[in-house]
Amino acid sequence: MNEEALQRSYKRFGLTPDASLREVELAFHKLRKLYSDNSLATYSLLEDGDLPDRLNSLQAAYDMILQSRLYSQPASDQAFPERRQEDRRDQDSRIVVVDADPQQKPGLFLKQMREARNMSIHNVAERTKIGPHQLQCIEAQDFTALPAPVYLRGFLKEFCRAVKVQDPDQLVEAFMMLYSEAT
Amino acid sequence: MHLSADTDNQSNEPRVWAIGGGKGGVGKSVICTALAMSLARQGERCVVIDADLGGANLHTFLGMPNPRHTLSDLFRKKVDGLEDILLPTPYENLSLVSGTRAMLDMANLSYQQKMKMIRQIFALPADHIFLDLGAGSSYNVLDFFIAANDGLLVIMPTPTSIENAYHFLRAVYFRKLRKVMKRLGVDELVNSSLNEKVRGGIRTPQDLMADLKQRDPGVGNAIALEMEQFSPCLIVNQAQRNENSELADEIAMACRDFFGIEVKVSGVVRADERVLISLNSRRPVLDMFPNSPFAEDVQRIVRKMTPDTEAEHERRSTAAQL
Ligand SMILES: Nc1ncnc2c1ncn2[C@@H]1O[C@H](COP(=O)(O)OP(=O)(O)OP(=O)(O)O)[C@@H](O)[C@H]1O
Ligand SMILES: [Mg+2]
């Protein structure tokens, strides 16, 4: 990913890379609304027909930020290849049993899986590049603070992979179902 | 020349504020006078300079008769320096440089004369200097705006005022860009980039910056660093309390996204009928109605923009009590 373009995307929203996903979302929606509403602040900036391009470019900036958090490799993996092997070893493939029901309480299930594997929120955040706050919201099933479904789905998959859930698809679907019921 | 805004005034140099905003009649002169009055009343030595080409009238805002000495005298070399045409006003700590008869002279001001005047402004014995720039985006207006430590953009919550302000911002930005280029000795780069951009219909500083960086990363980054320093301040004047409370922030957001320019919001000044009353009485609002909503809003802006002065006064008044 182009580091400079990413920086520029943050800048457009008046943010820096340490902003939370929530902040990114808020800034994105605010700016989108500002252009869409043809408000006093923006109407003279856009000529007829410019709006769709403007909105697309905003969307692209937003997507770029989300993707950078989703798919980037943890830095330690690249810097220390031998540690990666160690990581593999200690990411045990032990089958752990937890008591939460992945269908009813997928958030709690993820939390218990994480704890069973002796991982902190911070460990998972590092591995998945998802913000600790987002992870906590997933565990608590706090739907108000989570990103749009398309990204949430990606987050959940990453989370499942990090804590080695046996049947991630089933958990993701259950979580998404609860999410759409709640919002 | 002073291109950088060093607001922590360690030296004895005055802090120079320029008040512009594109559109006529938005309240530049009223705000300029009020800012200066507010600081003068705190004991800061202030000078207001009437640098309005077409409609110099600051003396009237201060209740003074037609001034005997004006900028004309300076440009016609009747006096040696700016300091010789400093006029006392009826108010303590506040002096005026009038521009009344300087209309034609200002319009014909050569670049050298302008630069000399700017040097003299920074050499005046004062703590704060306020330049009332008048309307429009002429080179005179732009050059003073760029030279100042703080460039204040005054707008009204109307479509035309905001449109003019964007035009003004863009004009200042490109004027400053050309100066930076010239200093770095790379005017050619921008010229070719600019010309292509204009033909290609791309309009924002942001696009231009990206293009420059691509053509020549080293130079592009150096330029970008300098241009990032460009951060004008915004005042929304004659605001309706409820409707316009977020306008300033929204404009700042739009400037950031659309132009890539960081605009700082200085504050909002409410529409207040006392402004007209005081104008008709030829007394500054801060003198006639020191507790009016207008005065309150202006003082809030001054506090925000001069936190050190504020702290200094607190220190002094506590010391006086002891
Ligand atoms: N906050 C305010 N509330 C009410 N009236 C205001 C306010 N600010 C300015 N005005 C009115 O707007 C008019 C124009 O103000 P002013 O002369 O300061 O504008 P200007 O921007 O300096 O204009 P020009 O570009 O012609 O120099 C004045 O009549 C003044 O009474
Ligand atoms: Mg004026």
Side-chain angles (χ1 to χ4, degrees), chain B:
Chain B
M1 202 178 66
H2 299 256
L3 282 168
S4 67
D6 59 311
T7 38
D8 58 338
N9 223 331
Q10 293 292 336
S11 63
N12 294 322
E13 231 176 43
R15 176 167 170 185
V16 178
W17 313 52
I19 290 92
K23 185 136 173 58
V26 295
K28 294 179 293 295
S29 301
V30 169
I31 299 266
C32 180
T33 311
L35 291 170
M37 282 284 291
S38 170
L39 278 162
R41 287 158 69 101
Q42 293 181 41
E44 299 281 302
R45 294 168 304 160
C46 296
V47 177
V48 284
I49 298 182
D50 198 336
D52 188 342
L53 313 183
N57 53 15
L58 271 186
H59 58 281
T60 308
F61 284 89
L62 291 162
M64 293 160 68
N66 252 355
R68 186 120 20 108
H69 297 292
T70 71
L71 281 173
S72 295
D73 300 326
L74 182 71
F75 299 138
R76 293 183 184 161
K77 302 203 162 66
K78 287 189 191 159
V79 294
D80 290 336
L82 204 50
E83 208 172 331
D84 300 325
I85 51 172
L86 265 186
L87 304 168
T89 69
Y91 304 97
E92 207 182 341
N93 294 319
L94 184 61
S95 313
L96 168 72
V97 170
S98 177
T100 314
R101 276 166 278 163
M103 281 166 61
L104 271 178
D105 300 311
M106 280 295 272
N108 294 327
L109 200 57
S110 75
Y111 190 73
Q112 276 71 26
Q113 279 178 308
K114 201 160 36 187
M115 290 304 122
K116 186 172 169 196
M117 180 170 162
I118 288 171
R119 277 196 301 276
Q120 295 193 351
I121 289 172
F122 277 92
L124 283 177
D127 301 312
H128 296 272
I129 293 174
F130 294 87
L131 306 175
D132 182 3
L133 294 185
S137 305
S138 69
Y139 283 166
N140 278 341
V141 170
L142 302 182
D143 287 338
F144 283 115
F145 195 87
I146 290 169
N149 300 113
D150 301 84
L152 258 61
L153 204 61
V154 178
I155 63 157
M156 261 169 75
T158 61
T160 41
S161 167
I162 293 169
E163 195 170 344
N164 282 19
Y166 286 147
H167 177 77
F168 180 81
L169 259 188
R170 207 187 316 217
V172 189
Y173 186 91
F174 284 118
R175 180 81 175 162
K176 183 175 164 105
L177 183 64
R178 289 209 185 268
K179 288 190 180 197
V180 169
M181 299 279 135
K182 226 180 191 150
R183 208 169 37 193
L184 295 174
V186 289
D187 341 19
E188 277 312 299
L189 184 67
V190 170
N191 279 341
S192 60
S193 194
L194 265 181
N195 293 340
E196 268 175 46
K197 287 289 154 189
V198 170
R199 258 185 278 128
I202 296 173
R203 301 176 310 238
T204 76
Q206 226 173 14
D207 296 334
L208 180 69
M209 235 14 101
D211 184 71
L212 283 176
K213 282 184 187 171
Q214 212 167 34
R215 279 165 193 253
D216 185 336
V219 174
N221 281 320
I223 295 169
L225 267 180
E226 287 235 23
M227 293 310 292
E228 273 166 24
Q229 307 292 315
F230 175 60
S231 180
C233 303
L234 179 71
I235 293 179
V236 175
N237 186 28
Q238 309 199 35
Q240 304 300 324
R241 210 181 202 328
N242 298 319
E243 289 147 52
N244 308 125
S245 61
E246 291 183 357
L247 182 61
D249 291 322
E250 290 175 356
I251 290 176
M253 248 163 73
C255 285
R256 183 190 292 126
D257 179 56
F258 199 85
F259 298 120
I261 298 176
E262 278 296 321
V263 170
K264 291 179 288 210
V265 175
S266 293
V268 176
V269 178
R270 280 167 280 175
D272 186 345
E273 62 204 8
R274 293 171 197 79
V275 175
L276 191 57
I277 299 173
S278 81
L279 193 60
N280 287 333
S281 320
R282 298 218 248 135
R283 271 175 69 191
V285 195
L286 265 81
D287 180 44
M288 198 168 173
F289 300 111
N291 300 316
S292 58
F294 175 89
E296 238 175 58
D297 293 344
V298 167
Q299 279 157 346
R300 186 174 310 114
I301 290 173
V302 167
R303 277 198 300 276
K304 182 167 178 184
M305 297 191 70
T306 60
D308 296 342
T309 311
E310 176 79 358
E312 175 63 10
H313 282 282
E314 246 161 51
R315 196 187 60 73
R316 267 188 237 158
S317 72
T318 337
Q321 277 166 19
L322 292 176

